[in-house]
Amino acid sequence: MVARDEKMIDRVVSSLSTILYGGDYNPEQWPEEVWQEDMKLMKEAHINEVTLNVFSWSLLQPSESEYDFHLLDRIVDICKANGLRIVMATGTGALPAWMCLRHPDVNRIGYNGEIYRHNGRENFCASSPTFRKYAGLLAAKMAQHYVERGDAGAGDSPIVAWHLSNEYSGFCWCDRCAQAFREWLKAKYHNNIDEVNDAWNAHMWSHTYHSFDEIFPPNTRGDGMEGGAYWAGHAVLGGYSLDYRHFYNDQVRACIKLERDAVRTYDTYAPITTNMMGTFNDYDYYKQGELLDVISWDSYPGLGEDAAVIDMRHDLMRGVAHGEPWMLMEQAPSNQNWMPYCYVKRPGQLAELSWQAVAHGANTVQYFQIRQARSGCEKFHSGIISADGTNKTRRFREAAQLGKQLEQLSAQILATKPRHGQVALIFDWNAWWDIQFSVGPTQALDYVAECQRWYRELHRRNIAVDVVSPLENLQDYQAVLTPCLQSVDKAVVENLRNYVSHGGRLLMTTMTAVADEHDSLYQGEQPVPLRDLAGIWVEETDSLAPSTPVGLAFTGEEAQAPQVSPSTSKERASAAGKATYGKATYGEVAGGKAIGNKVAGGEQPYGTTLFDILHADSDTEVLATYTDQFYAGTPALTFHALEQGGKLENGAAGVIYCATMPNEPAIARIVDRLLTGLAVEQMVTLPMCEKCQSCGTPCSPDCQKATSAIEITRRVARADKPGARDLVFVMNTAEPPVSFTAPVSGKDLLTGKLVKQGDTLTMAGFETLILQQ
Ligand code: GLA
Ligand code: ZN
């Protein structure tokens, strides 16, 4: 892990001392009169920043030897004259057509061997020497030019950050990449083909290699799998496909590094970043993040995505930043254009989503884009300024109001930083890819969705969670979860073992620590490398269609048959949303500060999809058993204390093993057990509709859903900011208004209103309170 200079994020805002508020601005697409209009409107919207030059390579460089910064200079000058700060893109995110024509090596070859010619964007082959040469040159010339002009390189320069390329994505499968892959393998495996055969365990389907020349990229023309939906995209040799992923990641990292170093040669001050995309499959952002001064990312929640899904991405990006604040480089002012159904943001939702990002660590709020495109494939994507070109639209007014609030509260917000989580959820790209390339044991294991389901339960309780790399320092977490962390290498094993043996509590689930980093099953009793700590042996794993649940009986509760048989994960999610309350329990959570413990009791707990059939060691406590199938009565949830006789309620260290993919009511019960005896702060909101007020229990699914929509997240005072105070963001993340009991006190910075713990709070749809402590 490379430590990032934590003060770099401050440089993004230092010259303004306000939160950067603005976003992508592409004035090249309009005549100059429009720019002047834009400037006026931006001022009115309290916009203080523009991100320029994201896709202008072809305008800047008409041929191999010509560079023309004339137009960009004019744009920079106008922005400067209007007091705007600039995030300057290197502009290398899309190739110029002349380059694709005259230097075909820059073009990508697709997974099925498709030959591309200047298609779309992020269209370059990362191994192409021509691409690397010209991308590096452009980045260098840009930085040199703007430093020489006096626009970059110092604390008060208008250019406050550099933005490399744009949303790096995708792969290339060309012959040059093939050759580069062979060289990469030679370096990794000491020029010894037998080491490759060993790593990939290649002696199957006649895959033994005798020379590196026999190895091609594992696409459908090579070792990738075709043959129907089930096989397609999986791999014959998982280790082979995993290595290609790591190889291509390294190629992209080399491109990032060469642009970064080119910029750094001239601008020695401004932070350098590239915009990431959250739970994005292609690249390992932990590794990519090591190359960057600050982490930035683009948040585009889809219709119906709940706050937990959005926040897990924020928290992952903060994990990439090792807990430091980050930049919200893009969000849509209202609708995106690239979804099946492009919903417009509901009144108040833009601000709420922005505060949610700030609460989770964003120190900037930026958009794609300032003015809506007038044509092309993004013409239906919202801008702050729409086609009418006025300040009269709802989205403009809402953006302007938010801009004003950010301006007013900047000092207080920037004096805080995201809190360190009490619980960590491990998210890992290699494990994700390993599941993806595996054939079996189920097609219904969606790694990200599985992480989200566990995260959601913690989020529902407003517990501070960090989403982190399996190599992160885990010692300060009270509990750590590893949902379906299928592959683990030695370093990860050591980190997890170290965590538990120093007093940590680990929750492992089915499909954790099954394979090594090359996708080879660990030999021995599963989960081999953690078998002794987990105190169990998984003998076999049953896999059933998601529509066939297996009931779970928790010790201390009466067992009941599962009630529902939803067939898809979507149905399961919506069934969970409609869960009714039976005898919900409220009260203190052992050891925690919770004021209530919401556990859905109407829908019965059950497992789905995967069912480990396991043996518990004699000193392993069984916390739940299956109620169905031939393995009825056998353990489905266990706890193995690190020290003999250790008890959950005493905060004992050890491993909780969850042998199945539980439904939400089961996850709630398991998280109860995970947190038992630990001092994890939970801020659970109690519903307060009139009916509930009298009995203190949620009266209906609607009441339960409404209070689940309340999110409470803290930013903590920075030690180096005198007078700084903690801020607690209380947000209604959904449209219906909701009443509940306030679990914290503070003065709302947005309205001046005083909130007292225990008060009944009524919040409008998408309302936010920022409580100063
Ligand atoms: C991405 C890109 C932007 C734009 C937006 C549209 O985030 O970085 O250039 O295309 O999507 O939502
Ligand atoms: Zn290539």
Side-chain angles (χ1 to χ4, degrees), residues 105 107-109 125-128 172-177 248:
D105 69 283
N107 294 304
R108 263 185 203 178
I109 298 290
C125 162
S127 311
S128 156
C172 178
W173 309 85
C174 76
D175 289 345
R176 191 168 301 92
C177 284
Y248 203 80

Side-chain angles (χ1 to χ4, degrees), residues 471-486:
L471 293 172
E472 190 62 75
N473 179 354
L474 302 173
Q475 295 314 321
D476 290 337
Y477 295 108
Q478 301 210 30
V480 171
L481 294 86
T482 58
C484 300
L485 189 70
Q486 179 166 302

Side-chain angles (χ1 to χ4, degrees), residues 222-334:
D223 194 65
M225 294 179 80
E226 290 179 286
Y230 191 57
W231 292 91
H234 298 280
V236 177
L237 300 180
Y240 188 166
S241 282
L242 283 170
D243 265 342
Y244 199 78
R245 277 287 165 118
H246 288 289
F247 151 74
Y248 203 80
N249 266 257
D250 280 356
Q251 298 300 90
V252 171
R253 276 153 39 90
C255 295
I256 292 176
K257 193 168 175 309
L258 73 89
E259 285 197 28
R260 181 201 67 182
D261 293 348
V263 170
R264 191 50 84 226
T265 306
Y266 298 97
D267 185 340
T268 53
Y269 185 83
I272 301 172
T273 187
T274 184
N275 45 348
M276 297 180 170
M277 291 180 274
T279 45
F280 176 68
N281 184 263
D282 295 0
Y283 307 143
D284 181 336
Y285 281 150
Y286 299 121
K287 285 194 180 159
Q288 207 171 88
E290 286 174 5
L291 301 173
L292 306 170
D293 297 320
V294 296
I295 297 305
S296 68
W297 95 278
D298 303 342
S299 180
Y300 287 102
L303 184 60
E305 282 190 328
D306 62 14
V309 169
I310 300 164
D311 288 337
M312 193 182 101
R313 296 186 200 122
H314 290 325
D315 288 352
L316 171 63
M317 295 290 94
R318 197 182 60 251
V320 169
H322 301 302
E324 291 303 315
W326 42 273
M327 299 172 76
L328 179 64
M329 189 62 90
E330 293 179 24
Q331 66 172 340
S334 185

